[in-house]
Amino acid sequence: MTNHIVLYQPEIPQNTGNIARTCVGTGAILDIIKPMKFEINDHNVKRAGLDYWDKLQLVFHDSLEDFMATVQDRDRLHLITKFADTTYSDRDLSATDGEQYFMFGKETTGLPEPFLREYADRCLRIPMTDGIRALNLSNCAALVIYEALRQQNFAGLERVHAYPHDKLK
Protein backbone atom coordinates (compact mmCIF):
# COMPACT_ATOMS: atom_id res chain seq x y z
CA MET A 1 0.00 0.00 0.00
CA THR A 2 1.22 3.45 -0.81
CA ASN A 3 -0.26 6.13 1.42
CA HIS A 4 -0.39 9.75 0.30
CA ILE A 5 -0.91 12.85 2.40
CA VAL A 6 -2.42 15.49 0.12
CA LEU A 7 -2.33 19.19 1.01
CA TYR A 8 -4.72 21.48 -0.82
CA GLN A 9 -3.17 24.93 -1.21
CA PRO A 10 -1.21 24.96 2.07
CA GLU A 11 -0.69 28.35 3.72
CA ILE A 12 1.59 27.81 6.72
CA PRO A 13 5.14 26.68 5.95
CA GLN A 14 5.78 25.15 9.36
CA ASN A 15 2.78 22.81 8.96
CA THR A 16 3.99 21.67 5.56
CA GLY A 17 7.48 21.09 6.94
CA ASN A 18 6.14 19.03 9.84
CA ILE A 19 3.94 17.01 7.49
CA ALA A 20 6.90 16.41 5.17
CA ARG A 21 8.84 14.98 8.11
CA THR A 22 5.87 12.77 9.02
CA CYS A 23 5.75 11.53 5.42
CA VAL A 24 9.41 10.55 5.53
CA GLY A 25 8.90 8.77 8.85
CA THR A 26 5.88 6.84 7.62
CA GLY A 27 6.89 6.19 4.02
CA ALA A 28 3.99 8.29 2.73
CA ILE A 29 4.13 10.43 -0.39
CA LEU A 30 3.39 14.14 0.04
CA ASP A 31 1.17 15.59 -2.69
CA ILE A 32 0.79 19.38 -2.76
CA ILE A 33 -1.95 21.05 -4.78
CA LYS A 34 -0.99 24.56 -5.86
CA PRO A 35 -1.07 27.46 -5.38
CA MET A 36 0.85 27.69 -2.12
CA LYS A 37 1.33 30.77 0.07
CA PHE A 38 5.08 30.10 0.33
CA GLU A 39 7.92 28.39 -1.48
CA ILE A 40 9.36 25.04 -0.47
CA ASN A 41 12.75 26.72 -0.13
CA ASP A 42 11.23 28.96 2.58
CA HIS A 43 13.39 28.90 5.72
CA ASN A 44 10.49 27.87 7.99
CA VAL A 45 9.54 24.90 5.82
CA LYS A 46 13.11 23.67 5.69
CA ARG A 47 13.52 24.15 9.43
CA ALA A 48 10.36 22.20 10.29
CA GLY A 49 11.30 19.36 7.93
CA LEU A 50 14.84 19.31 9.27
CA ASP A 51 17.31 17.50 7.06
CA TYR A 52 14.84 15.00 5.61
CA TRP A 53 13.90 16.85 2.42
CA ASP A 54 16.15 14.68 0.27
CA LYS A 55 14.28 11.58 1.52
CA LEU A 56 10.80 12.99 0.86
CA GLN A 57 8.69 11.72 -2.04
CA LEU A 58 7.07 15.00 -3.12
CA VAL A 59 4.60 15.51 -5.96
CA PHE A 60 3.20 18.88 -7.03
CA HIS A 61 -0.14 19.31 -8.81
CA ASP A 62 -1.09 22.55 -10.55
CA SER A 63 -4.77 22.28 -9.58
CA LEU A 64 -7.35 20.13 -7.84
CA GLU A 65 -8.44 18.85 -11.24
CA ASP A 66 -4.87 17.84 -12.09
CA PHE A 67 -4.58 15.97 -8.81
CA MET A 68 -7.92 14.18 -9.25
CA ALA A 69 -6.79 12.99 -12.69
CA THR A 70 -4.05 10.98 -10.92
CA VAL A 71 -6.42 9.20 -8.49
CA GLN A 72 -7.23 5.83 -10.03
CA ASP A 73 -9.64 4.59 -7.35
CA ARG A 74 -11.89 7.26 -5.81
CA ASP A 75 -12.86 4.79 -3.06
CA ARG A 76 -9.31 5.21 -1.75
CA LEU A 77 -9.68 9.00 -1.50
CA HIS A 78 -10.38 10.27 2.03
CA LEU A 79 -11.22 13.93 2.61
CA ILE A 80 -10.47 15.10 6.13
CA THR A 81 -12.95 17.77 7.20
CA LYS A 82 -14.98 18.79 10.22
CA PHE A 83 -18.04 18.63 7.94
CA ALA A 84 -18.30 14.84 8.00
CA ASP A 85 -20.47 12.28 9.75
CA THR A 86 -17.90 9.47 9.75
CA THR A 87 -14.97 9.45 12.14
CA TYR A 88 -11.56 8.71 10.58
CA SER A 89 -11.00 5.73 12.89
CA ASP A 90 -14.32 4.17 11.82
CA ARG A 91 -13.33 3.92 8.13
CA ASP A 92 -11.63 0.76 6.92
CA LEU A 93 -8.15 1.91 5.89
CA SER A 94 -6.56 -1.53 6.06
CA ALA A 95 -6.09 -2.21 2.34
CA THR A 96 -2.57 -3.39 1.62
CA ASP A 97 -2.55 -2.92 -2.15
CA GLY A 98 -2.74 0.10 -4.42
CA GLU A 99 -2.69 3.74 -3.32
CA GLN A 100 -4.63 5.56 -0.64
CA TYR A 101 -5.02 9.35 -0.38
CA PHE A 102 -5.70 11.48 2.71
CA MET A 103 -6.56 15.00 1.64
CA PHE A 104 -6.43 18.05 3.91
CA GLY A 105 -7.61 21.56 3.08
CA LYS A 106 -6.17 25.02 3.60
CA GLU A 107 -5.50 25.97 7.19
CA THR A 108 -7.94 28.90 6.97
CA THR A 109 -10.84 27.55 4.90
CA GLY A 110 -10.42 23.80 4.45
CA LEU A 111 -11.39 22.03 1.25
CA PRO A 112 -13.77 23.70 -1.24
CA GLU A 113 -17.41 23.11 -0.30
CA PRO A 114 -18.52 21.97 -3.79
CA PHE A 115 -15.73 19.37 -3.77
CA LEU A 116 -16.75 18.15 -0.29
CA ARG A 117 -20.37 17.87 -1.41
CA GLU A 118 -19.41 15.95 -4.56
CA TYR A 119 -17.41 13.45 -2.50
CA ALA A 120 -19.50 13.53 0.70
CA ASP A 121 -19.22 9.75 1.06
CA ARG A 122 -15.41 10.10 1.19
CA CYS A 123 -15.37 12.66 4.03
CA LEU A 124 -13.91 11.81 7.44
CA ARG A 125 -13.91 13.78 10.67
CA ILE A 126 -11.50 13.95 13.60
CA PRO A 127 -13.64 14.36 16.73
CA MET A 128 -13.13 17.61 18.65
CA THR A 129 -15.07 19.97 20.85
CA ASP A 130 -17.04 22.83 19.36
CA GLY A 131 -14.78 25.27 21.24
CA ILE A 132 -12.30 25.56 18.33
CA ARG A 133 -12.60 25.98 14.55
CA ALA A 134 -10.05 23.26 13.76
CA LEU A 135 -7.11 21.30 15.05
CA ASN A 136 -3.58 21.98 13.80
CA LEU A 137 -3.10 20.65 10.27
CA SER A 138 0.15 18.81 10.91
CA ASN A 139 -1.34 17.12 14.00
CA CYS A 140 -4.35 16.03 11.96
CA ALA A 141 -2.16 14.56 9.22
CA ALA A 142 -0.18 12.58 11.81
CA LEU A 143 -3.34 11.27 13.50
CA VAL A 144 -4.86 10.06 10.27
CA ILE A 145 -1.76 8.52 8.67
CA TYR A 146 -0.94 6.61 11.86
CA GLU A 147 -4.50 5.29 12.10
CA ALA A 148 -4.18 4.01 8.52
CA LEU A 149 -0.80 2.47 9.34
CA ARG A 150 -2.18 0.90 12.52
CA GLN A 151 -4.95 -0.72 10.49
CA GLN A 152 -2.28 -1.89 8.01
CA ASN A 153 -0.33 -3.45 10.92
CA PHE A 154 2.38 -0.78 10.49
CA ALA A 155 3.53 -2.45 7.27
CA GLY A 156 6.98 -1.26 6.23
CA LEU A 157 7.68 0.51 9.52
CA GLU A 158 10.32 -0.37 12.07
CA ARG A 159 8.34 -1.42 15.17
CA VAL A 160 11.36 -1.77 17.46
CA HIS A 161 14.56 0.22 17.30
CA ALA A 162 17.56 -1.08 19.21
CA TYR A 163 20.43 1.28 19.84
CA PRO A 164 23.99 -0.02 19.96
CA HIS A 165 24.92 -0.80 23.57
CA ASP A 166 27.89 1.53 23.57
CA LYS A 167 25.59 4.53 22.95
CA LEU A 168 23.59 3.75 26.09
CA LYS A 169 26.62 4.03 28.39
Side-chain angles (χ1 to χ4, degrees), residues 3 12 21 28 42 44 59 67 72 86 104 111 126 129 144 147-148:
N3 292 305
I12 301 174
R21 186 175 182 180
D42 183 291
N44 292 323
V59 180
F67 166 74
Q72 300 296 315
T86 304
F104 299 85
L111 292 166
I126 298 171
T129 68
V144 172
E147 173 60 20

Side-chain angles (χ1 to χ4, degrees), residues 40-52:
I40 287 296
N41 63 9
D42 183 291
H43 170 73
N44 292 323
V45 174
K46 294 286 189 180
R47 183 170 172 235
L50 297 177
D51 57 346
Y52 301 111

